[in-house]
Amino acid sequence: MNKKFSKILDNKWWQEIAVIAFSFTIYTLKNDWMLFSSVASILMGVFFYLILYMHAQFNRFFILPILFKKQRPLTYIFLTLLGVLLFSVVLYEITTLDMFSKCRLYQNSHQRSYAYQLASVLGTLVCILSPIIVFKFYRIHKKQTDETLLFNQMQLNALKGQLNPHFLFNTFNTLYGISLEFPDRTPDLIMKVSQLMRYQLDSSNKQCVSLEEELSFINSYIQLEKERVGYRCDITYDCKIDNENAYKVSPMLLIAFIENAFKHGTCAIENCFVRIFITVENGLLHLHVINSIPTKKTNVISTKIGLKNTIERLNLIYGKEYKLDIQDDKNTYIVDLKLQLKKFV
C-alpha cells in the first residue's frame, strides 16, 4: 500500500490532478455550493475557474522561473502583481456582461465588485501555486536523496574494486609476464596501473571530476587492455574533445561500457575487435563503443550490476539530458551514448 501511494505521490500528473481538485474545491466553497444548482451555473463556474487556473499556470511557467532560476524576487513580485491586476480587470468586465445576468454566480453587489475579483485572482493563485511549489521541492529533495544514496553505494563499490583480489591478480600477472619478455616496457605499464588505482581512490569521494581526468583514466585502462589482449584483438581508440578542461562529468561513469566491451568482446582466442570513439562538441559527449561477439567464447562471470548501476546513475544525475542506445546482435555489441555535459562554473 505504501509503495502504491508513493508511486502516485511521485507522478506529476497525479500531483497536477490533486492541485486542480484542491483549488476547484476551495473555489466552489468560496462561491457557495448552493449557487451551482443548474447546468448553466456549473458551466459558468467552470469557465471562471479555468480563467483563474490559466492565470496561475501563466505565473507558474513564465513568471515563477524569474524567482527560482534568475533569483530576482522584486521583478517576480512586480510581474505577479501586474498579472493579478490584469486578470482581475478581465474577470470584472466579464461579470458585467448581459449574457451572465441569468446565472446565479456573481449576482451579489460585492461579488460584482473589482475588489472581489482581485481577491479571487490572488487567492486562487496562492491555492494553486502553493501545492505546486511543495510538490516541486518534494521531487527535488527526493532526487537529491536518491543521488546521495547512489553516490554512497558508488563509493562502496569503488572501495571493493580497489581491494578486489581478482583485479590485483590479473594486473600483476600481466606485469610479471611483460617484465620477463619486454623488461623495457615494464616501467611505463606500472605507471598506467598506478594511474588506474590512484584515480579510483581519488574519485571515490567526488561527485564530479574534470572530463580530462576521466579520459586520462579511460586511456590508461585501454592501454592496459592492449598489453593484455592487443596481440589477438584489434583495438581502436579515437578521442576528439573541443575543450577537455571546460566540462565536468560523474567519475567512473563511462568506464562501465568500455570495460564491458573488453570483458565480453575478447573472451575467445579467435581474432576479435573493440572500437571506442569519444567526441565532445559544444558540451555534447558522444560515446560509441563496438565490440565483436566471439562465436566460441568462454564463460564470463557477469552480474550485470555495473551496467545497471551506470544506467541508474545516468537517470538520476542527468535525467533527460542523455540518450542511450544499446544494440545486441549475433556478431556485434554496440553502445551509443549521448550525454549533455555540465560546465565548470
Side-chain angles (χ1 to χ4, degrees), residues 171-181 186 189:
T171 300
F172 287 109
N173 188 48
T174 300
L175 284 173
Y176 176 74
I178 293 175
S179 65
L180 292 178
E181 190 170 358
T186 304
L189 191 58

Side-chain angles (χ1 to χ4, degrees), residues 20 28 49 94 96-97 122 125 140-141 198 224 300:
I20 293 175
T28 51
Y49 171 78
I94 291 176
T96 59
L97 297 177
L122 188 59
L125 178 65
I140 293 174
H141 175 72
R198 184 183 299 276
L224 181 63
V300 177

Side-chain angles (χ1 to χ4, degrees), residues 12-43:
K12 290 184 178 181
W13 291 107
W14 281 112
Q15 291 176 0
E16 199 70 33
I17 292 173
V19 170
I20 293 175
F22 171 76
S23 58
F24 186 75
T25 301
I26 298 297
Y27 170 78
T28 51
L29 289 174
K30 174 180 70 69
N31 289 284
D32 193 345
W33 285 91
M34 298 300 296
L35 298 177
F36 294 84
S37 57
S38 65
V39 176
S41 61
I42 291 175
L43 293 177

Side-chain angles (χ1 to χ4, degrees), residues 20 22 36 50 54 110 121 146 217-218 227 239 264 331:
I20 293 175
F22 171 76
F36 294 84
L50 288 177
M54 287 173 57
H110 76 280
V121 173
D146 291 341
F217 170 75
I218 290 174
E227 297 290 348
C239 183
H264 297 282
N331 300 315

